[in-house]
Amino acid sequence: MSSDPPGFELPLRLFLGFRVLIDELHAELARQGHPDMRPMHGFVLQAILRGGDTAVELGRTLGVSKQAAGKTIETLERLGYVERATDPRDTRRKIVRLTGRGADSLALSARIFDDLRRRWADEIGEERLRALEADLRRVTPPDVLRLDVPGWFGGQ
Amino acid sequence: MSSDPPGFELPLRLFLGFRVLIDELHAELARQGHPDMRPMHGFVLQAILRGGDTAVELGRTLGVSKQAAGKTIETLERLGYVERATDPRDTRRKIVRLTGRGADSLALSARIFDDLRRRWADEIGEERLRALEADLRRVTPPDVLRLDVPGWFGGQ
DNA sequence: CCATATAGTCAATCAGGTTGTCTATCATGT
DNA sequence: ACATGATAGACAACCTGATTGACTATATGG
């Protein structure tokens, strides 16, 4: 007759799990030629891939202002992960594209995440991991790439 | 013979799960008299409870500079969640204590987290939830309150 | 009693977010 | 054809929360 665990452990474990994976990803990325990548860069690159090809659209996708999105794009441009070109059909728009290096970092990240998942599967078993993923899918929103991440945690 | 899910889904689901819980916590806190609390305040109050009773110690616990910890303490003081008093045995130190309101917010948070956990249990089953918690415990560090949260995600 | 370490504060700086304003360009309706 | 309104991006001012460096006051220990 064991009682329920305290509810506050659940969010902490979820966050720690996230943090462990992201930290290990970036340690490995740094080892493999991407020492400048920050956790949020990967999200932004993903958001650019999935249709956020101007500052305004990217801002909408990420849930920040177009100015903030513009600054983030500048940073990624300076680091060599994206490049901008004027849209010939609408010269107001500047289309953001991943560079080879940007695409490379995403492909590499995907491989690293697969490795990390395999390590978790070794630790807790593939079935349990699948169950964990399935359960999380049931209690989280389906749209996996609606971040609103930047500045969400802090504030005031 | 289904193949493994892509590894990148796992961190996203963990983060989304965390975010869902924290967002619902703060919606409920706002409804119950704590509209000014931000996600990180709860962490800081916890850290203060567990022995971070000066700016320096709090900074160490949270993984930020003592100056940053001092500013956070100021904010929480202004919001009425903590108060400071000079340590009579070492007048350099200013001891931070939770106010009644601060302690209240933590007790309330604990109740809300328990409710949220119960809702997850209703959704996926108590057994699966226990398994999920147990599995996460195996793949995350045991020390649940080593945050380093502030500023961790962004940077550069 | 002096030397060193520690706690807190102040100041300058930086990153990344915000809003407001401005210009250039596009789209539309008369 | 053109005036009007909407949109994309850039610029500026500001806010918050972090950083480092310098400084003061207080403890501590040889």
Side-chain angles (χ1 to χ4, degrees):
Chain A
M1 186 92 284
S2 61
S3 65
D4 290 356
F8 70 81
E9 186 180 356
L10 190 51
L12 288 174
R13 290 292 170 198
L14 291 168
F15 178 71
L16 281 177
F18 172 69
R19 203 182 188 304
V20 162
L21 290 175
I22 297 294
D23 281 349
E24 288 178 353
L25 167 73
H26 283 276
E28 193 57 33
L29 278 175
R31 247 174 263 129
Q32 300 197 27
H34 295 275
D36 296 328
M37 280 203 91
R38 293 278 154 254
M40 84 153 306
H41 294 165
F43 287 83
V44 174
L45 293 181
Q46 284 284 352
I48 290 171
L49 261 193
R50 311 200 184 186
D53 56 355
T54 68
V56 168
E57 287 173 38
L58 184 58
R60 268 197 270 270
T61 303
L62 294 176
V64 300
S65 66
K66 60 181 181 176
Q67 292 90 335
K71 288 187 193 180
T72 301
I73 290 172
E74 265 178 50
T75 301
L76 288 172
E77 197 174 22
R78 183 169 42 79
L79 294 175
Y81 289 101
V82 304
E83 59 193 1
R84 268 185 291 190
T86 301
D87 185 344
R89 296 186 307 192
D90 181 347
T91 60
R92 292 172 306 176
R93 308 177 76 226
K94 295 201 175 168
I95 297 180
V96 187
R97 269 197 324 265
L98 267 58
T99 60
R101 179 169 173 77
D104 189 62
S105 73
L106 281 188
L108 185 53
S109 295
R111 277 201 302 278
I112 296 169
F113 273 136
D114 286 344
D115 283 348
L116 291 172
R117 184 185 182 284
R118 208 164 301 126
R119 276 165 48 190
W120 281 32
D122 290 345
E123 180 69 28
I124 67 176
E126 175 68 27
E127 269 173 56
R128 291 284 288 258
L129 184 54
R130 276 173 195 268
L132 190 150
E133 289 166 334
D135 290 339
L136 285 179
R137 260 178 236 121
R138 294 186 60 182
V139 292
T140 54
D143 176 11
V144 91
L145 208 66
R146 172 64 187 180
L147 287 321
D148 304 338
V149 161
W152 163 75
F153 199 78
Q156 175 62 329
Chain B
M1 190 88 293
S2 62
S3 64
D4 291 356
F8 69 81
E9 186 180 356
L10 190 51
L12 287 173
R13 291 290 171 201
L14 293 168
F15 177 72
L16 282 177
F18 172 69
R19 203 181 187 304
V20 161
L21 290 175
I22 297 294
D23 282 348
E24 288 177 353
L25 167 73
H26 283 276
E28 194 57 34
L29 279 174
R31 249 174 260 128
Q32 300 197 27
H34 295 276
D36 296 327
M37 280 203 91
R38 293 277 154 257
M40 85 152 307
H41 294 164
F43 287 83
V44 175
L45 293 181
Q46 286 283 352
I48 290 171
L49 262 193
R50 314 201 181 186
D53 56 355
T54 68
V56 167
E57 287 174 38
L58 184 58
R60 266 196 272 270
T61 304
L62 294 176
V64 300
S65 65
K66 60 181 182 177
Q67 293 92 331
K71 287 187 194 180
T72 302
I73 290 172
E74 264 178 50
T75 301
L76 287 172
E77 197 174 22
R78 182 167 44 77
L79 293 175
Y81 289 101
V82 304
E83 58 193 4
R84 268 185 293 189
T86 301
D87 185 344
R89 296 185 305 193
D90 182 346
T91 61
R92 291 172 307 178
R93 308 177 77 226
K94 296 199 177 170
I95 297 181
V96 187
R97 269 197 324 266
L98 267 58
T99 60
R101 180 170 173 77
D104 190 61
S105 74
L106 282 189
L108 184 53
S109 294
R111 278 202 300 278
I112 296 170
F113 273 137
D114 286 344
D115 282 350
L116 291 172
R117 185 185 183 282
R118 208 163 301 126
R119 276 165 48 189
W120 280 32
D122 290 344
E123 179 69 26
I124 66 175
E126 175 66 28
E127 269 173 56
R128 291 285 289 259
L129 185 52
R130 275 174 196 270
L132 189 150
E133 289 166 335
D135 290 339
L136 285 179
R137 259 177 237 122
R138 294 186 60 182
V139 291
T140 54
D143 177 11
V144 91
L145 210 64
R146 172 65 188 179
L147 287 321
D148 303 338
V149 162
W152 163 75
F153 200 77
Q156 172 65 332

